[in-house]
Amino acid sequence: MRRVVVTGLGPVSSIGIGVAAFLSALRAGRSGISPIAGFDASGFPHRHAGEVRDFRPEEIVRRIRPGEWGHSAQLAACAARLAAQDAGLEPGGAWADEAGAVIGTTSGESQVVESLVDQQMAGGLAGMSVASIRQLPAERLSYAVAEELGLAGEALTLATACSASNYAIGYAYDCVASGEADVMVAGGADSVCRWAHAGFYRLGALTEKECQPFDATRSGILTAEGGAALVLEEAGHAAARGARVYAEVLGYGVNCDAGHMVSPNEENIAACMRIAHRKAGIKPGDVDYISAHGTGTRANDLVEARAIRAVFGAVTPPTSSIKSMLGHTMGAASGFGAIATTLAIAEGFLPPTINWSTADPDMPWIDPVAGTSRPAEVRVAQNNGFAFGGNNAITVFGAVE
């Protein structure tokens, strides 16, 4: 198996677009939550989300026409373009001949679906826009990345909900480690939409204005959107072209208990951590930082915390949740977690959990890195991603000498 490194990052998020802006916001503990503008939320008791404000895809992409693609595909393509630029890779170059794209999502082109429903309600089937129908398939998220970067390898969209980006990173890692490709682009994208906002509200999982992971007073998630992309590259290929390396992908773990649609399973999450550690060739004591799934719901945070204790014992690594800043970006969530994790390794700091003020007596072993970032040497870091239906995926990254 060949070594795989991260050479490019492309965040398009509510706290910043591009590495510099995203890194600055992480360090400062900046919130990207604001009143919803993407749809009429006036009928909801809770009306805040993590939207990407001032998003102008035409200022980022060069090869696709944004108007021909749905909002999620635009987010994915922009994230991929930024990641390729960050990696020093010119779209359409020789590197792209066998390179591929793997993009995770929860809702696909959810905004397009809602638009088509409105059109059908107003004018029947004949009133539905052909252009909108063309934008509908979720697989177009990876197609948009492939077209924007001129990739000739496979293009795959994975719809494993909130752990989808970690699944995508794991798939891309296998492609590079096995020799199928020297370069892969992996990540995720999702859009703020009415149906997800309504669904989480009806589940009782939506909070009003602030997401407070691991806090004793936490009350739920905030929906959010964004595109997250990472360039994964074979280490020798990266060295030959003099690429800057953020971190090495040490391995990943996936499993699925399928035990309950919305209730996480502590034992299965702990098992997924052990799988990830084994495949990464590390022990729990090697992990310096955990980027938590950390949604801010009562059940998820407690189950995740208990699984961490089961694997790591009485002394657990610092564990923070960037969802406190971005909100829950669904299929892009663990992609943003991976970006934050690699930046933590490369820049020597721990991203914070903002909005945290009160320790939960049921999880006293959790150090949430409260409020602001903390300087630290991070040699090995774990990035958690969990989803409805028991779909768990964890990626592990390490520092490169």
Side-chain angles (χ1 to χ4, degrees):
M1 298 294 284
R2 307 189 304 172
R3 292 176 62 194
V4 182
V5 295
V6 179
T7 57
L9 303 175
V12 179
S13 78
S14 62
I15 64 171
I17 297 174
V19 175
F22 188 78
L23 174 59
S24 175
L26 280 183
R27 286 190 181 278
R30 190 172 304 137
S31 174
I33 305 304
S34 59
I36 293 172
F39 63 88
D40 181 5
S42 59
F44 290 95
H46 302 335
R47 298 186 287 274
H48 284 71
E51 293 179 307
V52 183
R53 297 300 182 91
D54 302 320
F55 177 53
R56 299 183 181 86
E58 66 280 0
E59 296 180 0
I60 300 174
V61 295
R62 296 291 181 269
R63 297 166 67 97
I64 68 169
R65 295 187 179 93
E68 296 177 358
W69 301 83
H71 188 63
S72 294
Q74 293 176 21
L75 289 166
C78 288
R81 163 65 74 159
L82 291 172
Q85 289 176 348
D86 188 47
L89 294 169
E90 184 63 32
W95 68 274
D97 290 346
E98 295 182 356
V102 193
I103 303 298
T105 192
T106 294
S107 305
E109 292 295 2
S110 48
Q111 292 187 358
V112 176
V113 173
E114 292 179 355
S115 175
L116 284 168
V117 170
D118 289 342
Q119 293 170 25
Q120 185 177 7
M121 293 294 291
L125 291 175
M128 299 172 71
S129 162
V130 173
S132 295
I133 293 172
R134 289 196 183 105
Q135 294 175 1
L136 181 60
E139 62 263 28
R140 282 171 59 86
L141 272 64
S142 57
Y143 298 167
V145 170
E147 185 166 334
E148 176 60 25
L149 299 184
L151 307 182
E154 66 179 306
L156 177 66
T157 302
L158 298 175
T160 47
C162 303
S163 57
S165 284
N166 265 353
Y167 272 90
I169 292 168
Y171 188 99
Y173 166 84
D174 283 343
C175 289
V176 177
S178 66
E180 293 181 34
D182 288 329
V183 181
M184 293 289 290
V185 179
D190 260 307
S191 303
V192 164
C193 59
R194 185 185 295 110
W195 80 263
H197 195 80
F200 279 102
Y201 176 74
R202 290 302 297 266
L203 281 171
L206 200 65
T207 192
E208 186 175 1
K209 292 183 179 179
E210 289 186 342
C211 178
Q212 301 172 279
F214 304 114
D215 191 280
T217 63
R218 66 191 182 277
S219 58
I221 77 163
L222 287 166
T223 56
E225 66 184 3
L230 299 87
V231 173
L232 273 55
E233 189 168 354
E234 191 272 323
H237 187 275
R241 66 182 188 86
R244 180 227 22 246
V245 173
Y246 286 101
E248 181 175 0
V249 185
L250 300 179
Y252 70 96
V254 296
N255 66 5
C256 179
D257 58 72
H260 193 281
M261 181 54 70
V262 298
S263 180
N265 182 290
E266 177 186 332
E267 292 182 0
N268 206 51
I269 289 173
C272 190
M273 293 183 195
R274 295 187 180 104
I275 293 169
H277 293 172
R278 184 175 70 250
K279 293 180 71 174
I282 65 167
K283 299 177 181 178
D286 297 327
V287 177
D288 299 309
Y289 167 64
I290 297 174
S291 176
H293 187 61
T295 61
T297 64
R298 301 295 304 176
N300 178 90
D301 290 4
L302 183 57
V303 168
E304 183 173 12
R306 286 175 173 170
I308 289 170
R309 183 180 60 176
V311 172
F312 289 88
V315 181
T316 62
T319 303
S320 68
S321 172
I322 63 171
K323 289 182 179 69
S324 60
M325 293 177 269
L326 290 99
H328 195 332
T329 53
M330 308 298 162
S334 52
F336 283 119
I339 292 174
T341 299
T342 54
L343 286 173
I345 292 170
E347 298 292 331
F349 77 104
L350 303 178
T353 303
I354 67 170
N355 307 321
W356 189 97
S357 60
T358 307
D360 188 332
D362 290 331
M363 54 177 89
W365 56 89
I366 291 293
D367 169 9
V369 192
T372 57
S373 61
R374 182 188 306 165
E377 181 182 14
V378 183
R379 303 292 301 170
V380 177
Q382 171 181 317
N383 176 44
N384 291 350
F386 311 131
F388 284 172
N391 275 305
N392 305 312
I394 294 171
T395 48
V396 180
F397 299 88
V400 176
E401 298 296 337

